[in-house]
Each structure stands twice: as structure tokens, then as C-alpha cells.
Amino acid sequence: MTASRTLTFHVFRHNPRDSGGEPGVREYQVEETPGMTLFIALTRIREEHDPGLSFDFVCRAGVCGSCAMLINGRPGLACRTLTSELPGTISLFPLPGFELIADLSVNTGKWMRAMSERLQAWVHLGSEVNPNQIEAAMDPDLAEAVYELDRCIECGCCVAACGTALMRPDFVGAVGMNKLARFRLDPRDDRSDAEYYQLIGDDSGIFGCMSLLGCQDVCPKELSLQTQIAFMRRAMARQGL
Amino acid sequence: MKIIHSDVLVIGGGLAGQRVALAAKRRGLEPSILSLVPAKRSHSVAAQGGMQASLANCFKGEGDNEDVHFEDTVRGSDWGCDQRVARMFAHVAPKAIRELAAWGVAWNRVRAGEHEAVINGQRVTLTEREDAHGLITARDFGGTRKWRTCYTSDGTGHAMLYTVSDRVIAEAIPVHERQEALALIHDGHRCHGAVVRDLITGELSAHLARATVIATGGYGRIWGISTNALINEGMGAALALETGVARLGNMEAVQFHPTAILPTGILVTEGCRGDGGVLRDVDGHRFMPDYEPEKKDLASRDVVSRRMAEHMRAGKGVKSPYGEHLWLDITQLGAAHIDRNLREVKDICRYFLGIDPAKDFIPVRPTQHYSMGGVRTDYRGESQWLSGLFSCGEAACWDMHGFNRLGGNSVAETVVAGMLVGEYVADFCQSRHGDQEISTALAREFVQREQRGLEKIIANPGHENAVDLRRRMEQIMTDKVGLFRNGPDLESAVAELAELLARSGEVGVNGGLDANPELVLAYRLPRMLKVALTVAMGALNRTESRGAHFREDYPARNDRDWLNRTLACWREGDALPRLDYEELDVLRMELPPGFRGYGAKNIIDHPDTAPRQAEVDEMRAAKLDRYAVQSYLMSFKHLLPLKYRGRNERLDEPLP
Ligand SMILES: Cc1cc2nc3c(=O)[nH]c(=O)nc-3n(C[C@H](O)[C@H](O)[C@H](O)COP(=O)(O)OP(=O)(O)OC[C@H]3O[C@@H](n4cnc5c(N)ncnc54)[C@H](O)[C@@H]3O)c2cc1C
């Protein structure tokens, strides 16, 4: 076993509702322990040094998408980032592109709901089914393909890593386009491409993407975001003709 | 004072809460939902392995139906559940999953033809029928006689929660995120809503409604290590308890899951064993068949967890810096299966343990997982003591799980209960009982009381440290109110928790009344301690062993004296909760108490069991059709909302 390290954290501290307060960075030192994640480290900082430090962990298992932040400048899920994979000095900043609540806590939920409403990101049903009857059959491979795109956890990393999103607050981001790709693939959604075009056929949607690949690089679920965007762009371009 | 009105105030944005809200909305009411976090981040999202529903589509599910599902559920509960509720549940589960299938959940589907599976350590070939191709498939889970657990890989909760949340958005139901209910507003007879704190600004408001629904999930976080999300702190149970009138049911019934990883207690699904994985000890020996030759690694959860602990006590655990553990071995399933059906497990192993489960064993140990107890309600989901207060999901005890829940039955319960309780909530609102008749003076009184409470905390000089008290509570629960329990430990747990509760009033905080995590811990701590005390007291009083509640000093299941449900109520000013008991009526059970088939039989019978069994046997011997037998033994259809009474179609059971 290697000798244990003392980690130095530089953590963004600011409460925008605190009228006198200026944004700043605070430094904390934490002894590293085996298997330590940023969740464990931040909890220790809060318990031992700074009980007022705000951050958002819920599942702490990499599935709920609450704890995305900039970890040494790169968007990622803090709960499943092991400190052993980071240098001895670690900087933590809130995810850009979202409203700051305080310190490392940002309002991704509000952004995601607005995006979902705008893109009507739900299965548009032709009619309700009779639940007493055997369900409609679905091709097993297609079901798996839909699930693959459904695995997005709305963490916001792709938005934080996106050049367009940082310039255009109304950009729906890879998260939004991936959602529509998911519904478009789903035989239960009865929308046509013309209808999807109405939702994303402009620069705040599919034509705003500059193909910089930032989104796909940082997606914690390793979704094929660029492929989905390219695919949607081709389908939408056909509509625009 | 800010007042927000709705017809139905749903406290909780998990699967249960959102499904209730949808039901109310579809009945023409205006619901609104509160959640501590964005709804899609509720803990339902973490459910992995699947949802039970007796569809009977896959080969190993053939012959399955509501009867089998019902019996598995009752046996699983160790006869502690309300059998009528278990019946309602088993009947509606297929409808719930079909509705979700239509709404967009990408359930894994049956592939016709041959495929390989691992059963009891052996590779076998199964053949799926042609007419089932493309229908929803299922996997094996503990304590079930058929493969009944439907899934989307091992991200079932995610797929379900996203689909239900998307419907909530589609139907324009408001979700007030980062809003915490602090207290119920009530007059001792009727609930009128809740005092709500904005977790961003700290502002208090009164949310008034005709019906209020607690759907806040479980209370796992009163233990030090739990598979639960950090927000599952039992605040819903506390809300009900602090009314002084509503009661909690069976709070001592707490499940420990066999396979959570070290050190943080992140779960790896029972689907690992369902799909053929096995438990191994320090010598690499597969030990479960030694203890449970029949069900082996797929015995009921409570049983597997105890056997694991027993095996570690016998010196067969693996030592680690975080304490002892055993191994979960899924290597035999192969990389292709894991990549497709156990991908969350693979991610967890990779990110938290740095291992590949297709090659390496996973370090696991039993860990607090599920709260069978909760807000006691009738089969309609309404509190019997506080009209207009409803509850459903893990937060509730309408009582379909009794003393042990089967894997896959919980996410199923959340949606089924959401559908049913939602209808009853709507009935209530649309009846004369549902009229809203609250004075703003009462609402103001409740808001001011919470405001004063918070100001008092801020003003406290702070003799006590909230983190220390909390850690101590967690340690007590883990050491003394865990998998194995005994009188002396429970007595000291109660005494010490009561002392912590008294001290928790002395906690002080820095900072102000707005977004301030220190304040949040300070006001939740006494509430958590009250919940912990109801658990510990319930466990101390219950001098028998049933399901997940195991007393080393009373190892027998004692139907004669303890075939009942614990009720806990906390009157204002009392130092401890008061307990009383609700009998279960053997003479009305469809499945009279029996032996679950694990270990040696150790049951003290209820005097009514033998006569009731004779009645049941006689009826079964008559060889009538299964619906007729069932309705003779324990009719339940009349308890269901009309729209959910219809029979369920299956490949071999066409609708009449
Ligand atoms: C790791 C894990 C895996 C699981 N896997 C399975 C599985 O495979 N199959 C299965 O059947 N079951 C499984 N379960 C159990 C199942 O997931 C849960 O029991 C179920 O999802 C609970 O749903 P719920 O809607 O009742 O509560 P939750 O999903 O926990 O939601 C509770 C909601 O209440 C809100 N809330 C809480 N307190 C307040 C308050 N004071 N004010 C406002 N809002 C509040 C929260 O914000 C949240 O929105 C698993 C559980 C865990 C922990």
C-alpha cells in the first residue's frame, strides 16, 4: 500500500442570496482513505471543517445525477469519482450553465423540467391501452435500443461541456436531443418527423450543435450523444428541405 | 404568510407520489407534488433488479398467476401482512406493468427460441415459445416460485421513474422541487395540508389541500450504513408521528439486503443471484446450500442475510479494513450477460471497487435496505386516525409486506398503490368529507410554530454537536437494532436514543435560516430520533421472531401471541411513543399461517390456524375454478376501484 496522502481541496463558496457575500474559494485539507470518493471527502469536509458547505448528493451511487460538478475543470459525477484517480490538489466548482443555489449546488432540476416541457419529452400516446389485455409485443432488440438512449440521468454534464449551451441559454443541449432521439426510436410515440422538426429544427436545437464532442466525452453513462445528434440532424435536415 | 392551495398535496416525488398525483389529475382534481430533490432524483431511480407482476410470458414463468404471486407475497411476509391488501396488489400488478409498457418503459422482451441461462450453478438451455415473442420477459428473484420479476436491464427503477415523471410533466402537474414538508396542518381529526420549507430560500409556506398524501419513501438512513439514498431519513414517518394522532405500523420490520458492497453500502441487485450468481465464503466455498438446501442463494432476503451473518460469525468471513464480508460471484454468467443485463452492477464494480465482475468476486455483506413499516393506513391508503391523510409507497404500511418484503415487490407496490390510493383519494375529495374547511388562523398557527422552532435552533448557544449525535444514533441502530436483536441490547438502545433525543434540543448552528445544510440536520435530527425510537421500542416489545425481525432470545415465530401489527403513536410532550396492537384475523385468511420452509420449523401456532386450514383444504378439494375458490375464501374484488376489477389476460388465460 502506498503512503496515505493529505489532499488539498479548493472549493468554490458562494451564496447568491447573501447580499454582502462575494464568491470565493476555500481551501480544506483531508486525509485520504482507501476507496475514498469525492462524496466521502466532501461529507468529511462538511462534518469536520465547514458545516455550512452546500452540495447535492442523493443516491451516492452514480445513478441519480444530482452531484455533477467541475472536478479539476472537468464535468463529472462527484459521488463516483475516486480521489485516488486525482492529483493531490483538487478543485471543485459548481456546474456552469445552471442557476447557482449555493457553493457546489446548482438547479439542474429546474432546467431539465423546462427543457422537457419545451421539447414535449414524453411518449405521445395514440390512445390509452386496456391494461387487462396482454401488452403489445415489441421487438426485443428495439426495446434494448430504446433503453440504451433512456439511460440518460439528466445530470447536466453534457450541457456544462457544451460550447453552444454556454453561449446560448436557450440551447436544448445533448440531453434534449438525445431525448427526442429516444422518443423517435420508440414505436409507442406516434409523432412524425415534421412534429419533431417543430421542436428542434433550429439553432436552439439540432442546428446549433457545433460538433465539438464535449458532451459525449463527459457523459457519465457513455451515451452515443454525437451519433444521436448527427442522426437527428440528418432526419431534421430532410424535413427542412 | 404564503398560502398555496391544491386539491391533493402529495408529499414525495418518487414512483408512489407521482403515480398518485396522476390518478388524481385524471379524475379532474388539481394535485401538486413536493419533493426534497428534483423528482427524477428520488430514490426510486436506484431500483435495479425489477418489478414483480404475474404475466407468465417467459418459459420459467409459465403457470404463474395472481394466486401464486399472492401466496409468495404472504409467505415472504411471514404471515405478517394484510392478506386482502396482498390480494389487491397481486391482482393489479399486471395492469400496472402493462400501463407502464404503454407509457414508455422499455421492458426487456421475450425472444422466441433457445437461450442459455445459469440455474443453480449449471448452464442450461431454455426454450421460449413463439407466441410470447416480444412480450415482457422476467427473471428469477428470491422467495418466488416463478420467474416473475420484469426488468429493463438492471436499471428498472430509472426506466420506471423517468416514464412516470415524464407523464407528470405531460399532464402539467406542478412539482415543487427542493421543498420540504416540516409539519402536517391538522385539527386532531382532519388533515389540511402541510407547512413547507423552501430549501433554497428558507421561506415557510402553508400548502393547503383537501387530501394530503405522504409518499416520502423509507427511513433507512437512521442506520449508519444503508443501501438507501441519503434523503431517506424517515421524515414522512416523523410527519405523521408528530401529529400525535396518526399512527405508524410495524416500524420494527426492517429488511437487510444480502448484497451491498463495502464500505458505503451501495446495493448490487438480487438479480445477480436471480440470474445465477452465488455467494461464497473466505475459502471460495458456496455455503448457502449447506444452510438452505432447497432455495439456496435464492431463499427469502431476511433468511439469506441471517445465514450470511451466521456464516461470518462461524469464522468464514473475509477480513477487510472495513470489517468482514463475503463474496458474490457472478463470473459464471459471463461478460456478455453482464454487459447486457447487469450493467449498473458492472458500473458500480468498476467505479467504486475497481474490479470487473465478469472476472472478480464482489465483496458484499448484509446491509439495511427496506422499511416495511410506515404510516399505518387502511386498504384505501387513509390513516384511520386522521381523516384526509393518506400514504402510499415505502412510506406507508397499508401492509402488503408484513415482516419481510420480496425483492421486486416494492417498485410494483409503488405504482399499484399509486393507482389504487389515487382513486380513493379522488373519491374522498369528491365526497362530502373532502370539502376544504380550514381557517387560515389554524394554518398560520402551524407555520408560526415551525418558524419559532427554527429561530430557536438558530439562537441556541449550541452545547451539542448534531453530527456527533447523529453518528451515535446510527451506531446504536446498527449495533443494537440490526439483523440480530435481543432484549438487553434493545433496552439499552431505547434508553440511549431517548437520551440523544433530549440532547438533540440543545444543538446549535452557525449561519442563517436560508439554504443552510447545518440547519437542516439540526431540525431533522430530533425527528429521526423519534422514528428510531419507535423502531427500537417496537423491536423490544415484540418478543418473537417473524420475517426480518429476529430476536435471539425469542427465536420462535409466535402466532399465538404475536400475530398482530404494532401501532405507534407519539403524544405531544411524551418522552417515548406509545405502542398498541392490531390483531390479524386467522379465520379470514386465504392462506392460513404455515411454515415458510427455511431452517428448522419453530412456530407456536395460533389456535385458529388448524380449524381455518381445515376449511381451506375442504374448499380446495372441491376443485372449483380458481377464481371461485379464491372469492369464497377471501373476497377482495369489492375493495378495488371499479376500473381495476377486471381479470388479467395471459397467453394461456384468454379473457372471457
Ligand atoms: C438500491 C436500491 C435498489 C432497489 N431495487 C429494487 C428493485 O429492484 N425492485 C423493487 O421492487 N424495489 C427495489 N428497491 C426498493 C424501491 O426502490 C423503493 O422501495 C421504492 O422505489 C420507493 O418508492 P417511493 O415512491 O415510495 O419513495 P422514494 O422513491 O424514496 O421517494 C420519496 C420522495 O419523497 C420526497 N420526500 C421525502 N421527505 C420529504 C419531505 N419531508 N418533504 C417533501 N418531500 C419529501 C423525496 O424527495 C422523494 O421524492 C430498491 C431500493 C434500493 C435502496
Side-chain angles (χ1 to χ4, degrees):
Chain A
M1 237 185 168
T2 48
S4 80
R5 298 188 293 175
T6 301
L7 303 173
T8 303
F9 285 88
H10 295 252
V11 180
F12 178 83
R13 281 293 254 129
H14 181 51
N15 181 346
R17 276 162 312 282
D18 179 356
S19 46
E22 286 291 313
V25 171
R26 270 186 72 173
E27 188 178 305
Y28 312 93
Q29 317 254 298
V30 175
E31 286 302 309
E32 191 173 32
T33 50
M36 181 178 253
T37 58
L38 289 179
F39 159 63
I40 296 173
L42 280 168
T43 305
R44 195 163 300 164
I45 290 174
R46 186 193 271 176
E47 288 183 357
E48 292 169 11
H49 304 286
D50 192 351
L53 178 63
S54 287
F55 46 72
D56 291 322
F57 289 101
V58 180
C59 77
R60 60 80 179 87
V63 294
C64 78
S66 300
C67 65
M69 56 182 73
L70 289 186
I71 303 162
N72 284 342
R74 187 183 163 85
L77 297 182
C79 75
R80 69 171 203 193
T81 301
L82 292 167
T83 55
S84 59
E85 287 169 5
L86 298 171
T89 303
I90 300 166
S91 84
L92 300 176
F93 276 72
L95 210 57
F98 298 93
E99 196 178 289
L100 179 68
I101 294 175
D103 309 336
L104 300 174
S105 169
V106 294
N107 207 335
T108 47
K110 187 173 165 189
W111 194 100
M112 294 295 165
R113 169 111 186 188
M115 177 272 296
S116 281
E117 285 172 354
R118 183 171 141 210
L119 295 184
Q120 302 184 13
W122 54 84
V123 168
H124 285 50
L125 316 168
S127 59
E128 291 281 329
V129 296
N130 174 352
N132 297 336
Q133 287 170 355
I134 291 181
E135 64 279 8
M138 191 169 175
D139 177 69
D141 292 321
L142 180 58
E144 286 186 19
V146 170
Y147 175 64
E148 184 60 40
L149 302 187
D150 196 52
R151 294 178 70 237
C152 165
I153 57 173
E154 299 190 2
C155 61
C157 285
C158 61
V159 176
C162 171
T164 308
L166 298 184
M167 289 181 312
R168 288 192 67 128
D170 63 344
F171 186 57
V172 300
V175 51
M177 290 183 277
N178 178 69
K179 274 185 194 292
L180 287 194
R182 177 241 180 273
F183 292 117
R184 189 169 173 272
L185 187 65
D186 194 324
R188 294 164 290 200
D189 191 308
D190 68 356
R191 280 178 283 186
S192 65
D193 276 353
E195 288 166 272
Y196 289 124
Y197 185 80
Q198 291 300 319
L199 296 167
I200 51 163
D202 63 10
D203 285 351
S204 69
I206 205 76
F207 301 115
C209 169
M210 301 184 289
S211 303
L212 300 176
L213 296 176
C215 53
Q216 181 157 338
D217 283 349
V218 299
C219 175
K221 292 290 150 184
E222 297 172 349
L223 299 178
S224 57
L225 297 171
Q226 280 301 320
T227 313
Q228 297 313 317
I229 292 173
F231 197 66
M232 284 302 272
R233 186 187 289 127
R234 275 198 304 273
M236 294 303 107
R238 281 197 297 274
Q239 287 302 310
L241 290 178
Chain B
M1 180 181 61
K2 191 158 130 194
I3 298 185
I4 296 164
H5 290 274
S6 57
D7 291 320
V8 182
L9 175 65
V10 181
I11 306 173
L15 278 169
Q18 295 200 80
R19 187 60 188 84
V20 162
L22 282 166
K25 179 84 182 192
R26 288 169 168 221
R27 288 278 299 269
L29 297 164
E30 287 304 326
S32 75
I33 298 174
L34 303 176
S35 176
L36 300 173
V37 296
K40 284 177 179 165
R41 314 216 191 283
S42 301
H43 200 50
S44 294
V45 83
Q48 299 171 355
M51 158 170 177
Q52 284 205 45
S54 59
L55 300 181
N57 291 328
C58 68
F59 171 70
K60 294 289 269 179
E62 271 173 35
D64 199 11
N65 60 35
E66 303 81 4
D67 296 354
V68 191
H69 190 184
F70 163 78
E71 291 189 1
D72 285 346
T73 302
V74 175
R75 285 205 175 86
S77 81
D78 220 353
W79 278 270
C81 72
D82 181 334
Q83 295 198 4
R84 293 174 318 159
V85 171
R87 257 296 167 192
M88 293 165 69
F89 161 74
H91 176 79
V92 177
K95 304 181 204 307
I97 200 165
R98 286 168 175 166
E99 178 181 83
L100 290 172
W103 288 358
V105 176
W107 298 109
N108 279 60
R109 303 286 170 148
V110 175
R111 283 170 208 274
E114 293 191 345
H115 64 101
E116 288 213 324
V118 178
I119 299 179
N120 189 23
Q122 306 294 318
R123 243 173 210 287
V124 295
T125 301
L126 304 177
T127 308
E128 303 293 342
R129 57 202 270 186
E130 285 299 327
D131 56 355
H133 186 76
L135 300 183
I136 298 171
T137 192
R139 57 163 45 125
D140 200 6
F141 248 47
T144 66
R145 277 175 294 163
K146 301 282 178 186
W147 289 22
R148 188 188 299 125
T149 303
C150 308
Y151 58 94
T152 49
S153 183
D154 58 351
T156 313
H158 170 93
M160 293 172 70
L161 186 64
Y162 270 55
T163 294
V164 172
S165 302
D166 288 345
R167 282 250 48 89
V168 162
I169 298 171
E171 301 192 16
I173 298 172
V175 181
H176 303 279
E177 296 174 358
R178 296 178 185 267
Q179 301 275 338
E180 173 171 6
L182 287 185
L184 296 176
I185 299 171
H186 67 97
D187 56 19
H189 306 283
R190 175 83 166 82
C191 182
H192 299 289
V195 179
V196 175
R197 178 170 183 269
D198 184 318
L199 290 166
I200 298 177
T201 63
E203 188 189 7
L204 297 189
S205 55
H207 282 243
L208 302 181
R210 299 202 269 177
T212 304
V213 185
I214 294 180
T216 48
Y219 45 89
R221 282 285 157 187
I222 59 177
W223 278 266
I225 302 176
S226 164
T227 63
N228 287 193
L230 302 165
I231 58 170
N232 292 9
E233 298 179 316
M235 290 304 102
L239 284 173
L241 202 57
E242 291 200 325
T243 62
V245 278
R247 295 184 191 193
L248 305 182
N250 283 347
M251 291 296 282
E252 67 273 29
V254 177
Q255 181 175 79
F256 288 73
H257 195 292
T259 59
I261 63 166
L262 272 63
T264 46
I266 296 171
L267 184 83
V268 291
T269 174
E270 185 163 302
C272 291
R273 281 170 293 132
D275 290 2
V278 297
L279 293 166
R280 298 191 185 279
D281 64 15
V282 66
D283 307 320
H285 172 64
R286 181 183 173 200
F287 58 91
M288 275 308 294
D290 305 344
Y291 293 101
E292 299 295 343
E294 203 191 319
K295 287 298 260 177
K296 307 181 181 75
D297 302 86
L298 281 175
S300 226
R301 274 184 191 169
D302 56 323
V303 176
V304 178
S305 287
R306 277 196 297 274
R307 294 308 198 183
M308 289 170 74
E310 215 177 314
H311 203 60
M312 288 193 279
R313 282 180 173 186
K316 294 293 182 184
V318 184
K319 306 248 183 317
S320 88
Y322 298 104
E324 287 195 21
H325 65 81
L326 292 159
W327 299 115
L328 172 64
D329 170 13
I330 60 170
T331 57
Q332 211 195 340
L333 311 189
H337 180 92
I338 293 171
D339 285 346
R340 190 175 231 164
N341 289 324
L342 295 168
R343 39 199 306 178
E344 296 300 333
V345 170
K346 185 179 169 184
D347 267 7
I348 288 166
C349 288
R350 170 169 142 203
Y351 287 105
F352 295 94
L353 299 168
I355 63 171
D356 175 359
K359 299 198 189 94
D360 309 308
F361 293 172
I362 309 169
V364 294
R365 71 175 163 215
T367 300
Q368 192 289 334
H369 180 60
Y370 187 80
S371 313
M372 274 79 71
V375 180
R376 176 71 187 133
T377 72
D378 61 13
Y379 70 91
R380 298 159 44 254
E382 191 180 14
S383 167
Q384 295 96 321
W385 300 273
L386 194 57
S387 161
L389 176 66
F390 291 78
S391 182
C392 64
E394 191 172 343
C397 177
W398 63 336
D399 210 0
M400 66 162 273
H401 303 301
F403 279 77
N404 175 58
R405 153 178 92 85
L406 294 183
N409 256 357
S410 178
V411 289
E413 173 190 28
T414 61
V415 277
V416 168
M419 291 159 78
L420 300 179
V421 174
E423 295 300 321
Y424 292 124
V425 164
D427 289 348
F428 173 86
C429 289
Q430 288 164 354
S431 75
R432 73 190 154 77
H433 306 288
D435 290 341
Q436 204 171 28
E437 48 199 30
I438 178 193
S439 71
T440 34
L442 184 68
R444 179 169 300 112
E445 199 182 299
F446 272 83
V447 171
Q448 284 173 348
R449 182 165 145 167
E450 292 308 310
Q451 185 70 33
R452 281 195 304 272
L454 296 175
E455 283 164 4
K456 180 170 164 275
I457 296 176
I458 296 283
N460 242 342
H463 301 302
E464 296 286 356
N465 177 322
V467 172
D468 294 345
L469 298 188
R470 177 173 188 163
R471 290 286 170 262
R472 187 63 208 140
M473 169 189 74
E474 293 172 350
Q475 199 61 47
I476 295 168
M477 296 307 285
T478 304
D479 294 345
K480 300 180 177 176
V481 200
L483 200 52
F484 292 106
R485 300 166 174 183
N486 64 66
D489 276 352
L490 289 167
E491 259 170 49
S492 88
V494 170
E496 219 187 320
L497 290 168
E499 188 210 318
L500 292 179
L501 176 60
R503 288 167 60 191
S504 68
E506 300 296 315
V507 166
V509 301
N510 299 302
L513 285 165
D514 70 340
N516 178 359
E518 205 183 351
L519 175 65
V520 172
L521 175 58
Y523 66 71
R524 286 189 193 161
L525 180 64
R527 294 171 163 101
M528 280 190 263
L529 281 161
K530 285 184 178 175
V531 173
L533 269 162
T534 59
V535 176
M537 288 261 297
L540 172 61
N541 264 30
R542 184 170 284 276
T543 48
E544 66 150 357
S545 293
R546 184 179 299 277
H549 170 70
F550 190 83
R551 286 284 300 257
E552 295 169 303
D553 42 356
Y554 296 93
R557 188 182 92 199
N558 184 346
D559 290 348
R560 187 190 60 208
D561 304 317
W562 286 103
L563 198 53
N564 59 23
R565 188 173 295 121
T566 310
L567 299 175
C569 155
W570 199 308
R571 308 255 170 82
E572 206 178 330
D574 281 1
L576 288 174
R578 297 176 191 212
L579 303 184
D580 56 347
Y581 293 89
E582 193 181 345
E583 295 303 318
L584 304 188
D585 187 354
V586 176
L587 293 174
R588 298 174 70 176
M589 288 182 183
E590 180 178 340
L591 190 67
F595 177 43
R596 275 204 298 169
Y598 299 120
K601 186 172 171 190
N602 189 4
I603 301 172
I604 301 169
D605 281 324
H606 190 279
D608 291 342
T609 298
R612 178 59 179 165
Q613 188 63 56
E615 263 171 34
V616 171
D617 291 345
E618 193 181 327
M619 190 61 207
R620 297 215 181 276
K623 298 258 179 264
L624 297 172
D625 102 329
R626 69 180 182 95
Y627 298 102
V629 177
Q630 197 290 318
S631 97
Y632 177 83
L633 289 175
M634 189 184 72
S635 67
F636 74 97
K637 284 264 175 82
H638 62 288
L639 305 176
L640 289 167
L642 264 178
K643 64 198 280 193
Y644 295 128
R645 290 186 193 173
R647 286 189 186 178
N648 297 309
E649 186 183 23
R650 295 185 181 80
L651 288 172
D652 295 327
E653 281 188 313
L655 289 177

